[in-house]
Amino acid sequence: MTPLAEIRGLHVDFPGSTGWQPAVRGVSLVLGREKLGLVGESGSGKSVTGRALMRLLPPSARIRAETLRVAGTDLLTATPEAMRRLRGARIGLILQDPKFSLNPVMPAGEQIAEAWRAHHRGSRREAREAALELLSQVLIRDPARVFAAYPHELSGGMGQRVMIAMMLAPGPDLLIADEPTSALDATVQAEILRLLDRLVSDRGMGLVLISHDLPLVSRFCDRIVVMYGGRVMEELRAADLHAARHPYTRGLLNCLPRLDAARQRLPVLARDPAWLEGP
Amino acid sequence: MIEVRDLNVRFGKVHAVRGASFTVAEGESFGLVGESGSGKSTVLRALAGLVTGWTGSMSMAGCALGRRRDAAFHRAVQMVFQDPYGSLHPRQTVDRILSEPLIVHRIPDADQRIARALEEVALPRAVRFRFPHQLSGGQRQRVAVARALIAGPSVLLLDEPTSALDATVQAEVLNLLADLRAARRLTCILVSHNLAVVAHLCTRLAVMQQGEIVETLDEAALRGGRATHPHTKELIALSRDLDGTG
Ligand SMILES: Nc1ncnc2c1ncn2[C@@H]1O[C@H](COP(=O)(O)OP(=O)(O)OP(=O)(O)O)[C@@H](O)[C@H]1O
Ligand SMILES: Nc1ncnc2c1ncn2[C@@H]1O[C@H](COP(=O)(O)OP(=O)(O)OP(=O)(O)O)[C@@H](O)[C@H]1O
Ligand SMILES: [Mg+2]
Ligand SMILES: [Mg+2]
């Protein structure tokens, strides 16, 4: 089976005051119809990698790769028109800052309905029905009110769920979800992950879940890629996360507060410069 | 230090906070948890003076809070917002964002203070002259925390301060907040959906559902799973499940 997404040797740099600043340095990933977790500390390059898969990086960024292919399309040569088709229909990106990515002057529900209409044939009525249905699938208690609300009238978690509903509306083959549940309480989070899980297994969707929540990723995903400093440190089966070998991954696991036992001080990670070099 | 009595907030037809009451002692950290949309952020915003349509009474350090807040209030009470991108000015550099509270409150030694504030939240020096969109999500949140701390507040209202942060930075920020609390007798209200984070920082917490505080409990009861309200029980069970301790 051909993979849904394939990245080989991806480098992304941003212009800095002293020349190019690397953000991603030689990342390779192959994704099938599975749930892949992308974890790593802040600034490690997770979002930039995810955005590269949609070619949604700022024009100032320099992108180089041997292979960058999604759903059969070569992103390195695709025309802007082909990219637009791909983005709307085949790949969805749930952004890390939900409020920022919603249109502030358009009711939330209209934005979902519009995303739905862009890829289904149907009337306005049907689009509205579909949007309301999606809102209830992401566990919005009062879909009719939230449909009509503007983004600033929504709570943080509601905005995040509107964004999820909008990305699910066209029925993508590949969903890149950047911290999709970071503002959600455990009950809603669990339900949304169940919904995503169903989409992966029923519709054969591929999912890249970007998150810094290691326990969550290990519970939910099939495979985990651990990034640090724009590089992949370790790749492991999600179920084996507790047995991770890399000192970076171990450090990440070790500094979490726990509910079952109080800890005076949380250990912080001692970073080894060698992690930025070598294989 | 902080007393909230029968707080009600309405946005048109939406009754977002319904009769919430709680008190927070000086130097205490108080947690606010509960389902999405239950009114947690609205409680913080009402305390900070950012919503208008409220009834009930709120006081801080013995003074009743009115509709308008003065400069002393804004220096003493700082808020970290849930949505760091929205709360940072997009056209200002980090340096400018951090200078502003110093200028407003006429605090000297801006240069040193900014350098120290960045260090405290573990941001590299290089970010000082960048714009918010040139930072990762976690870096932006750390700028928001640094901005809240820079004018030396006595009350911090924290809305999901670590949910955009990875484990290592979260540990650094939590340790920093614990240190500051000890050093400056900082009073905090922390909204978080992560019960382990709340238990780590807070001695007491309130659980909200549909605008109401349904239960108030202490850290030991939270850790021991001795909750009475079904919503609290559910949150605890799911949190343990994720911890792998369920
Ligand atoms: N538009 C930009 N201009 C300049 N630098 C950028 C830009 N976007 C990202 N960067 C830098 O690239 C690096 C990787 O950022 P990225 O957003 O991928 O991190 P991340 O792993 O998603 O972190 P977080 O968990 O904090 O969201 C960071 O050092 C960041 O400051
Ligand atoms: N400016 C506003 N106008 C109209 N309704 C609002 C406004 N701000 C908040 N609300 C509504 O008030 C309720 C409570 O919102 P709030 O942001 O306090 O929730 P929350 O507990 O912080 O949730 P989350 O965990 O998702 O951030 C929600 O139903 C929300 O839609
Ligand atoms: Mg990111
Ligand atoms: Mg909120």
Side-chain angles (χ1 to χ4, degrees):
Chain A
M1 199 174 81
T2 55
L4 257 181
E6 196 178 353
I7 305 179
R8 290 209 187 283
L10 174 69
H11 287 260
V12 180
D13 308 302
F14 289 102
S17 47
T18 54
W20 290 105
Q21 293 285 330
V24 171
R25 308 188 303 148
V27 163
S28 300
L29 289 175
V30 178
L31 179 82
R33 300 188 181 274
E34 59 176 331
K35 293 169 292 196
L36 176 75
L38 203 54
V39 304
E41 68 181 4
S42 174
S44 58
K46 308 181 295 292
S47 297
V48 170
T49 303
R51 284 171 159 269
L53 276 176
M54 293 207 54
R55 236 174 64 187
L56 271 181
L57 289 164
S60 64
R62 179 172 75 175
I63 304 155
R64 290 164 297 153
E66 286 154 43
T67 312
L68 195 56
R69 188 181 280 285
V70 172
T73 305
D74 184 353
L75 302 192
L76 296 169
T77 56
T79 61
E81 175 50 32
M83 275 320 296
R84 249 195 314 277
R85 274 199 310 270
L86 198 64
R87 271 186 216 127
R90 314 287 308 271
I91 2 176
L93 174 65
I94 299 173
L95 287 170
Q96 200 168 353
D97 301 288
K99 291 233 173 115
F100 184 70
S101 32
L102 294 172
N103 181 347
V105 296
M106 189 179 189
E110 299 290 346
Q111 303 188 43
I112 302 170
E114 195 171 82
W116 187 86
R117 261 162 74 95
H119 304 282
H120 294 84
R121 254 167 297 188
S123 65
R124 286 194 152 272
R125 265 270 303 287
E126 285 167 301
R128 187 187 151 85
E129 295 295 305
L132 287 169
E133 173 56 29
L134 281 159
L135 283 172
S136 60
Q137 277 187 20
V138 294
L139 245 66
I140 294 283
R141 266 180 196 275
D142 187 354
R145 170 170 80 88
V146 169
F147 185 96
Y150 288 92
H152 76 272
E153 297 174 333
L154 300 174
S155 78
M158 289 170 169
Q160 210 164 37
R161 283 177 282 167
V162 166
M163 188 71 204
I164 294 171
M166 199 167 113
M167 286 304 146
L168 293 177
D173 294 332
L174 169 63
L175 186 68
I176 302 163
D178 199 347
E179 306 280 5
T181 62
S182 65
L184 298 176
D185 63 273
T187 48
V188 177
Q189 176 169 314
E191 196 56 41
I192 290 204
L193 293 178
R194 265 197 289 278
L195 170 69
L196 292 178
D197 196 37
R198 255 197 330 271
L199 292 170
V200 171
S201 47
D202 297 355
R203 293 223 325 252
M205 186 178 80
L207 176 74
V208 178
L209 178 68
I210 300 180
S211 173
H212 53 260
D213 190 335
L214 278 97
L216 178 109
V217 168
S218 108
R219 280 298 297 269
F220 178 69
C221 290
D222 307 312
R223 221 152 41 92
I224 301 185
V225 167
V226 184
M227 287 186 70
Y228 175 74
R231 299 167 48 109
V232 173
M233 291 293 110
E234 185 169 27
E235 198 181 316
L236 43 140
R237 276 194 1 173
D240 299 337
L241 179 67
H242 60 278
R245 302 271 278 287
H246 198 284
Y248 175 66
T249 318
R250 298 231 53 89
L252 283 181
L253 285 169
N254 195 26
C255 56
L256 293 169
R258 299 187 63 96
L259 189 57
D260 57 341
R263 308 172 79 169
Q264 260 312 313
R265 231 182 146 65
L266 299 169
V268 290
L269 186 73
R271 293 169 176 77
D272 185 342
W275 298 343
L276 294 174
E277 320 295 329
Chain B
M1 182 69 181
I2 300 174
E3 193 170 346
V4 173
R5 284 274 151 262
D6 200 26
L7 177 68
N8 283 277
V9 181
R10 286 191 174 80
F11 300 105
K13 267 184 279 174
V14 181
H15 196 170
V17 179
R18 301 164 186 249
S21 301
F22 61 91
T23 56
V24 187
E26 186 185 347
E28 190 187 14
S29 293
F30 186 76
L32 218 45
V33 307
E35 64 183 7
S36 173
S38 60
K40 306 178 297 292
S41 299
T42 305
V43 168
L44 289 196
R45 295 171 63 84
L47 271 168
L50 296 172
V51 295
T52 43
W54 59 273
T55 60
S57 70
M58 297 188 280
S59 71
M60 221 173 260
C63 302
L65 298 177
R67 304 285 133 175
R68 300 184 138 250
R69 310 291 157 83
D70 56 14
F73 175 90
H74 289 295
R75 176 160 183 186
V77 180
Q78 288 289 333
M79 179 156 173
V80 174
F81 294 88
Q82 185 168 3
D83 175 14
Y85 211 18
S87 72
L88 299 178
H89 195 295
R91 297 199 198 291
Q92 292 183 349
T93 62
V94 171
D95 182 73
R96 179 74 200 283
I97 289 168
L98 296 180
S99 309
E100 205 134 280
L102 299 177
I103 297 168
V104 170
H105 301 296
R106 302 205 178 85
I107 299 169
D109 305 324
D111 194 56
Q112 277 172 21
R113 276 177 194 265
I114 292 171
R116 197 172 66 223
L118 290 175
E119 211 170 289
E120 275 184 338
V121 295
L123 279 172
R125 279 200 200 129
V127 308
R128 184 159 168 181
F129 295 99
R130 290 210 204 148
F131 293 93
H133 72 267
Q134 297 174 320
L135 302 174
S136 76
Q139 287 167 336
R140 283 197 288 270
Q141 185 65 312
R142 278 181 278 169
V143 172
V145 172
R147 177 179 61 183
L149 291 173
I150 202 158
S154 52
V155 173
L156 270 185
L157 306 174
L158 303 158
D159 199 352
E160 301 278 3
T162 64
S163 69
L165 303 180
D166 61 83
T168 59
V169 182
Q170 170 171 283
E172 281 160 20
V173 170
L174 291 177
N175 286 340
L176 169 70
L177 290 171
D179 291 348
L180 286 167
R181 190 177 46 183
R184 301 190 194 162
R185 283 192 66 71
L186 202 60
T187 308
C188 300
I189 300 183
L190 170 75
V191 171
S192 175
H193 67 273
N194 184 326
L195 293 189
V197 166
V198 171
H200 182 76
L201 215 58
C202 301
T203 42
R204 286 188 313 126
L205 65 143
V207 183
M208 293 188 73
Q209 191 177 33
Q210 295 189 279
E212 276 179 67
I213 292 185
V214 295
E215 180 165 15
T216 306
L217 66 169
D218 64 13
E219 180 201 337
L222 173 65
R223 290 196 193 276
R226 291 187 304 279
T228 53
H229 193 275
H231 185 48
T232 319
K233 287 185 180 162
E234 187 184 13
L235 291 176
I236 293 177
L238 282 162
S239 172
R240 286 184 171 166
D241 186 38
L242 272 181
D243 258 10
T245 53

